[in-house]
């Protein structure tokens, strides 16, 4: 299958998931609910988007600087602006096809900084693995701070849906996955001397080197790596808290609620392009736990998603345009 067609199909699948979430959120809404949504949108204090944007830019800058630290362990020192621009181009591409942006940012930086792409992919995988650990930690903190609310959410939304799942389908998926892995291992051993296999081994070595790069840091680099990691997630949390202040109905919600929205909202960014449809839906369901009505939760989810998406589009397009200009001057 041509790569372009594969990417288009992938985009359509993820977009369909987002559209399905929008339909699920709207299908049971009454005319009064629609009026409440309109009222919520009109009552928002949108001047607060400005400080939210500033915090968001800070989180993206921290991510670029943290990635740069990982790259330095490989013996390369890319420019701060090029690294930041590459990260933002990656975010912009992710709006179209989830996960493709990770490859795009590595390709952009490899092109402008003349760094082997396999080294960058390894550091990117290491960074994403760390983010996954951080997300699991956020879930753990949410659970410990509000066990009663988490249990109520699981009982209302998760366990009933899992109970409806056909166990034979899950077993079939597991068998197919094992069969695919077995075939890939056989093919890799059978054609170990081929050019493709040699290139794949070289890529895997580069990826492994990137993953192990965290352990190669000196104390100073490790200190700043941890600081930037904390800054990224703290600024994500701060953005949501500022978002709560936008609407009268959510102003009383605190950092604990913001932490819960952050945890569940992060999942939405994986499921559909830029979280479209899924992010507002999950935020709406999450705010129900804090007695925020569905229309208000739906409006809040779209306001936060819209602000985040607008920031990524602006910074991504600016980075895409400014990259060749900046490097031509250099």
């Amino acid at each position: 299958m041509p790569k372009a067609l594969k990417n288009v199909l992938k985009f359509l699948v993820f977009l369909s998931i987002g559209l399905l979430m929008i339909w699920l959120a709207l299908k049971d809404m009454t005319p009064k609910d629609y009026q409440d949504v309109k009222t919520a949108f009109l009552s928002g204090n949108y001047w607060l988007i400005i400080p939210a944007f500033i915090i968001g830019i800070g989180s993206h800058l921290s991510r670029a600087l943290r990635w740069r630290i990982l790259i330095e362990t490989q013996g390369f020192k890319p420019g701060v602006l090029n690294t930041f621009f590459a990260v933002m181009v990656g975010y912009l591409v992710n709006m179209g096809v989830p996960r493709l942006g990770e490859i795009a940012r590595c390709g952009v930086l490899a092109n402008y900084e003349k760094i082997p792409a396999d080294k960058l992919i390894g550091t990117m995988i290491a960074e994403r693995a760390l983010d996954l650990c951080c997300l699991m930690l956020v879930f753990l903190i949410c659970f410990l701070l509000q066990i009663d609310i988490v249990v109520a959410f699981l009982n209302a939304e998760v366990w009933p849906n899992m109970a409806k799942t056909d166990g034979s389908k899950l077993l079939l998926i597991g068998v197919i996955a094992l069969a695919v892995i077995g075939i890939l291992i056989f093919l890799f051993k059978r054609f170990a001397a081929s050019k493709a296999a040699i290139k794949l081994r070289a890529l895997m070595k580069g990826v492994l080197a990137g993953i192990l790069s965290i352990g190669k840091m000196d104390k100073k680099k490790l200190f700043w790596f941890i600081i930037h990691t904390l800054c990224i997630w703290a600024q994500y949390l701060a953005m949501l808290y500022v978002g709560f202040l936008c609407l009268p109905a959510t102003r009383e919600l605190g950092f604990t609620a913001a932490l819960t929205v952050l945890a569940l909202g992060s999942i939405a960014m994986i499921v559909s392009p830029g979280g479209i449809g899924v992010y507002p839906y999950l935020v709406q369901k999450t705010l129900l736990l804090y007695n925020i009505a569905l229309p208000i939760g739906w409006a809040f989810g779209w306001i936060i998603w819209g602000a985040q998406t607008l920031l990524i589009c602006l910074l991504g397009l600016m980075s895409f345009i400014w990259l060749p200009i900046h490097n031509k001057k250099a």
Side-chain angles (χ1 to χ4, degrees), residues 44-110:
N45 179 6
Y46 295 105
W47 287 107
L48 289 171
I49 290 178
I50 296 175
F53 270 19
I54 295 172
I55 296 170
I57 293 171
S59 70
H60 298 320
L61 181 59
S62 286
R63 179 170 292 282
L65 292 173
R66 188 184 70 171
W67 188 32
R68 186 169 180 261
I69 292 172
L70 275 175
I71 297 170
E72 287 178 353
T73 62
Q74 300 295 303
F76 305 97
K77 196 168 185 178
V80 173
L81 280 180
N82 274 345
T83 309
F84 177 75
F85 291 154
V87 167
M88 296 317 305
V89 168
Y91 275 128
L92 184 64
V93 173
N94 270 340
M95 295 295 297
V97 182
R99 306 281 70 82
L100 186 61
E102 311 305 340
I103 305 301
R105 68 163 165 156
C106 292
V108 167
L109 200 60

Side-chain angles (χ1 to χ4, degrees), residues 257-296:
L259 195 68
T260 308
V261 173
L262 173 61
L264 295 173
S266 298
I267 297 174
M269 295 301 180
I270 302 171
V271 175
S272 67
I276 183 172
V278 181
Y279 187 91
Y281 180 80
L282 287 180
V283 169
Q284 168 189 301
K285 292 294 185 180
T286 302
L287 291 183
L288 280 175
L289 303 175
Y290 301 94
N291 300 316
I292 301 297
L294 276 173
I296 305 298

Side-chain angles (χ1 to χ4, degrees), residues 1-2 10 18 25 43 67 79 99 123 132 139 143 147 176 180 272 279 284 286 304 315 328-329:
M1 180 184 295
K10 189 186 298 184
S43 66
W67 188 32
R99 306 281 70 82
T123 57
L132 180 59
F139 270 104
F143 182 79
I147 294 177
I176 293 173
V180 170
S272 67
Y279 187 91
Q284 168 189 301
T286 302
I304 295 298
L315 291 177
K328 185 177 181 181
K329 288 180 178 180

Side-chain angles (χ1 to χ4, degrees), residues 10-287:
K10 189 186 298 184
F11 169 77
L12 292 175
V13 169
F14 285 117
L15 181 62
S16 298
I17 295 173
L19 294 175
L20 174 62
M21 293 299 104
I22 295 174
W23 177 77
L24 288 174
L26 295 177
K27 68 181 182 70
D28 295 325
M29 290 181 68
T30 64
K32 183 180 181 303
D33 290 333
Y34 284 108
Q35 184 59 42
D36 290 341
V37 170
K38 181 180 178 181
T39 302
F41 275 116
L42 293 176
S43 66
N45 179 6
Y46 295 105
W47 287 107
L48 289 171
I49 290 178
I50 296 175
F53 270 19
I54 295 172
I55 296 170
I57 293 171
S59 70
H60 298 320
L61 181 59
S62 286
R63 179 170 292 282
L65 292 173
R66 188 184 70 171
W67 188 32
R68 186 169 180 261
I69 292 172
L70 275 175
I71 297 170
E72 287 178 353
T73 62
Q74 300 295 303
F76 305 97
K77 196 168 185 178
V80 173
L81 280 180
N82 274 345
T83 309
F84 177 75
F85 291 154
V87 167
M88 296 317 305
V89 168
Y91 275 128
L92 184 64
V93 173
N94 270 340
M95 295 295 297
V97 182
R99 306 281 70 82
L100 186 61
E102 311 305 340
I103 305 301
R105 68 163 165 156
C106 292
V108 167
L109 200 60
N111 180 54
Y112 285 105
E113 291 287 346
K114 309 306 178 187
I115 302 173
D118 60 332
K119 302 289 186 183
L120 293 176
I121 291 174
T123 57
M124 179 270 294
I125 292 174
E127 190 191 27
R128 283 312 186 192
L130 178 65
D131 281 337
L132 180 59
C133 293
C134 290
L135 180 59
M136 292 172 65
L137 181 61
V138 168
F139 270 104
L140 179 61
I141 294 172
C142 285
F143 182 79
L144 295 177
L145 290 179
Q146 44 192 357
I147 294 177
D148 54 338
I149 293 178
V150 173
V151 171
F153 176 79
L154 292 175
N155 289 334
E157 301 293 335
V158 178
W159 306 139
N161 292 327
M162 288 186 66
K164 297 176 183 177
T165 303
D166 189 352
S168 60
K169 292 181 180 179
L170 293 177
L171 179 61
L172 178 61
I173 292 172
V175 171
I176 293 173
L178 289 174
V180 170
I181 293 172
I183 292 171
L184 289 175
I185 292 173
F186 169 77
L187 291 175
F188 189 75
K189 290 182 176 179
R190 177 68 178 80
F191 301 100
S194 66
K195 290 182 179 180
I198 293 171
K199 288 182 178 180
L200 181 59
R201 282 198 295 271
L203 176 62
M204 291 173 65
K205 286 180 181 178
V207 169
L208 181 61
I211 295 173
L212 296 176
S213 59
I214 296 177
K216 297 179 181 178
M217 294 180 191
D218 56 39
K219 290 183 179 180
K220 184 179 179 180
K221 280 188 171 61
L222 183 61
F223 170 78
W224 284 110
F225 184 83
I226 294 172
I227 290 296
H228 284 303
T229 299
L230 294 175
C231 284
I232 290 167
W233 288 90
Q235 287 173 110
Y236 286 168
L237 185 63
M239 281 182 67
L240 284 169
Y241 183 74
V242 171
F244 283 159
L245 301 178
C246 286
L247 297 180
T250 57
R251 282 174 191 161
E252 300 302 318
L253 296 176
F255 279 102
T256 305
L259 195 68
T260 308
V261 173
L262 173 61
L264 295 173
S266 298
I267 297 174
M269 295 301 180
I270 302 171
V271 175
S272 67
I276 183 172
V278 181
Y279 187 91
Y281 180 80
L282 287 180
V283 169
Q284 168 189 301
K285 292 294 185 180
T286 302
L287 291 183

